[in-house]
């Protein structure tokens, strides 16, 4: 069949963009997902959302994304309780003067965009968050509107809202090839050999994006990097904020039902471009490192049992930013991938702005610096506030 837009990939990025495109009257839209919606990184993530970034660009984007999360109940018709939107803040700990100076500079940028990020001394951290061990802590920043949301429910809510607007969503439908004719995209070939046609194809296939674009002759420097994560048994609710350190790499949050979710970056990150090489194994090394960090910063966790661990992929690019926009090599072929460790939180705002770009409206936040062609031009975009 022929569509106006075909989207490949049913994670937060693909599903939210399908909804936003439908809302803007982009025509007949088909979304194809090779497994189930959230079957990629979206379903593996910690789902933290924060505006505490360091570049103006990211702070603006995440300030808008937070607003979208805050009004998602009205927009998509699902309550905040269903979406498990929890705004307990992010407490970002600094373990050296240099790191604290960096956090203060980031907070200045955040203040310029209307965010009321607090700069805290170790004593203030102790007073406001008595469960946090301030050993080695030099200072911290805290922004109360940061938090987390359920990645499955947010994606499903977008999917239902998209379906209501007429978007066709097909799960268990892997795309094997992007069809190109005379430099223009023609559609996609499915694994069963059938074809679907559209003048515009948007690839939102997360870490699988590189392999798919290759079938259209496009080289994108985007790779999968394994990150491990674990969840504990539910416990009494004691932790409001996501507790995080950029220098030590940990993040720890308590879900609304009481479990703690936490992660740490790999010691020696490996880069995988080909899906056959992707590694989703869990390791004892991660468990040991994570348990040590977690019980140091939150000593009460010594009494809490771990119930499950898993691994997922950050979709990395050379500058940790999305590759988003039309590809230079093939007319009508678009990409939106590469959120690295923060693609869930950026999903809603990227979807909103990208859908404006694709439908010819002016963007409120100009995404063109993130166009995939920047890598060949060496025009990288720098962000100082990232984990791993
Ligand atoms: C351990 C961990 C913790 C994280 N924590 C956070 C966090 O706290 N906050 C945050 O914002 N982000 C976090 N992230 C990052 C976040 O999960 C990702 O950046 C985000 O989910 C990417 O969404 P996406 O839609 O771009 O990609 P994905 O969710 O990977 O979706 C891509 C989809 O495309 C499908 N697909 C692939 N190839 C094909 C094909 N050929 N045909 C059809 N379908 C295809 C896949 O099955 C998949 O469902 C974390 C990631 C990990 C691994």
């Amino acid at each position: 069949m022929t569509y106006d837009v075909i989207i490949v990939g049913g994670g937060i990025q693909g599903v939210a963009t399908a909804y936003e495109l439908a809302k803007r009257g982009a025509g007949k839209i088909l979304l194809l997902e090779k497994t189930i919606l959230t079957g990629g990184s979206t379903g593996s993530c910690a789902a933290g959302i924060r505006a505490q970034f360091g570049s103006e660009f990211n702070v603006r984007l995440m300030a808008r994304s937070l607003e979208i999360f805050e009004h998602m109940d009205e927009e998509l018709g699902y309550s905040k309780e269903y979406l498990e939107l929890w705004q307990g803040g992010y407490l970002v700990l600094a373990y050296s003067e240099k790191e604290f100076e960096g956090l203060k500079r980031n907070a200045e940028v955040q203040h310029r965009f209307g965010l009321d990020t607090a700069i805290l001394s170790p004593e203030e951290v102790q007073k406001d968050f008595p469960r946090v061990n301030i050993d080695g802590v030099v200072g911290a920043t805290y922004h109360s509107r940061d938090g987390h949301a359920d990645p499955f429910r947010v994606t499903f809510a977008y999917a239902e809202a998209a379906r209501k607007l007429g978007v066709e969503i097909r799960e268990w439908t892997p795309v094997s090839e992007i069809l190109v004719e005379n430099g223009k995209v023609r559609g996609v070939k499915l694994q069963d050999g059938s074809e679907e046609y559209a003048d515009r194809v948007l690839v939102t296939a997360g870490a699988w994006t590189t392999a798919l674009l290759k079938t259209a002759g496009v080289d994108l420097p985007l790779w999968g990097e394994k990150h491990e994560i674990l969840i504990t048994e539910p416990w009494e609710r004691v932790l409001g904020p996501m507790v995080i350190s950029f220098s030590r790499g940990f993040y720890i949050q308590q879900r609304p039902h009481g479990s703690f979710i936490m992660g740490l970056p790999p010691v020696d990150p490996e880069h995988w471009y080909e899906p056959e090489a992707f590694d989703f194994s869990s390791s004892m090394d991660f468990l040991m490192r994570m348990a040590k960090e977690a019980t140091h910063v939150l000593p009460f966790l010594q009494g809490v049992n771990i119930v499950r661990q898993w691994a997922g992929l950050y979709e990395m690019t050379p500058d940790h930013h999305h590759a988003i926009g039309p590809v230079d090599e093939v007319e009508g072929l678009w990409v939106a991938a590469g959120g690295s460790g923060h693609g869930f939180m950026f999903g809603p705002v990227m979807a909103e702005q990208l859908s404006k770009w694709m439908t010819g409206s002016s963007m409120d936040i100009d995404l063109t610096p993130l166009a995939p062609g920047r890598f060949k031009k060496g025009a990288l975009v720098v962000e100082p506030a990232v984990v791993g």
Side-chain angles (χ1 to χ4, degrees), residues 175-178 203 205-218 220 222 273-276 278:
V175 170
S176 56
E177 191 184 329
I178 294 166
V203 181
W208 295 262
T209 296
T210 319
L212 207 49
L213 288 182
K214 217 179 257 177
T215 68
V218 177
L220 185 71
L222 185 152
Y273 286 90
E274 297 298 335
E276 301 76 50
F278 289 173

Side-chain angles (χ1 to χ4, degrees), residues 136-335:
V137 171
V138 170
T141 53
Y142 173 74
H143 177 241
S144 61
R145 285 171 58 219
D146 294 344
H148 48 86
D150 186 290
F152 303 97
R153 292 179 175 194
V154 167
T155 309
F156 297 154
Y158 266 117
E160 276 315 296
R163 283 192 184 102
K164 281 189 190 143
L165 293 176
V167 174
E168 184 182 336
I169 297 179
R170 283 190 229 160
E171 295 177 287
W172 301 109
T173 311
V175 170
S176 56
E177 191 184 329
I178 294 166
L179 302 172
V180 181
E181 215 170 74
N182 301 325
K184 288 186 185 166
V185 81
R186 204 164 66 85
V188 296
K189 185 171 192 168
L190 309 184
Q191 208 177 57
D192 66 7
S194 62
E195 295 181 351
E196 301 292 353
Y197 304 106
D199 289 340
R200 269 187 309 176
V201 171
L202 169 65
V203 181
T204 55
W208 295 262
T209 296
T210 319
L212 207 49
L213 288 182
K214 217 179 257 177
T215 68
V218 177
D219 271 329
L220 185 71
L222 185 152
W223 61 91
E225 182 180 284
K226 181 171 94 176
H227 281 245
E228 294 189 64
I229 180 166
L230 65 80
I231 190 164
T232 71
E233 63 184 340
W235 222 60
E236 64 180 291
R237 273 216 65 97
V238 289
L239 189 64
M242 171 88 95
V243 181
I244 181 169
S245 156
F246 297 130
S247 59
R248 292 166 74 144
F250 64 75
Y251 59 84
I252 306 168
Q253 54 146 301
Q254 189 171 23
R255 304 289 305 160
H257 65 273
S259 294
F260 295 90
I261 288 188
M262 58 192 85
L264 265 183
V267 180
D268 294 311
E270 288 190 56
H271 292 182
W272 296 289
Y273 286 90
E274 297 298 335
E276 301 76 50
F278 289 173
D279 178 6
F280 295 99
S281 61
S282 294
S283 71
M284 185 56 90
D285 171 67
F286 164 71
L287 268 188
M288 302 303 282
R289 288 190 300 118
M290 188 73 249
K292 197 169 161 203
E293 281 291 19
T295 54
H296 172 80
V297 71
L298 295 168
F300 69 90
L301 286 174
Q302 282 177 24
V304 183
N305 292 306
I306 295 163
V307 293
R308 193 163 70 87
Q309 68 180 118
W310 67 97
L313 297 171
Y314 280 17
E315 330 75 47
M316 304 298 290
T317 64
D319 58 9
H320 294 204
H321 281 81
H322 287 73
I324 194 160
V327 307
D328 293 336
E329 296 86 340
V330 179
E331 196 181 321
L333 181 57
W334 290 65
V335 63

Side-chain angles (χ1 to χ4, degrees), residues 121-134:
S121 66
E123 294 69 32
E124 286 168 318
V125 172
Q126 184 79 98
K127 184 171 147 290
D128 295 346
F129 308 101
R131 297 274 187 170
V132 175
N133 175 11
I134 56 163

Side-chain angles (χ1 to χ4, degrees), residues 220-221 317-319 321-323 370-380:
L220 185 71
T317 64
D319 58 9
H321 281 81
H322 287 73
L370 298 185
R374 76 179 183 280
F375 301 114
K376 279 198 182 128
K377 295 175 197 139
L380 304 191

Side-chain angles (χ1 to χ4, degrees), residues 30-48:
L30 171 67
L31 185 144
L32 300 166
E33 163 55 47
K34 72 173 173 172
T35 60
I36 54 166
L37 300 183
T38 70
S41 299
T42 301
S44 317
C45 81

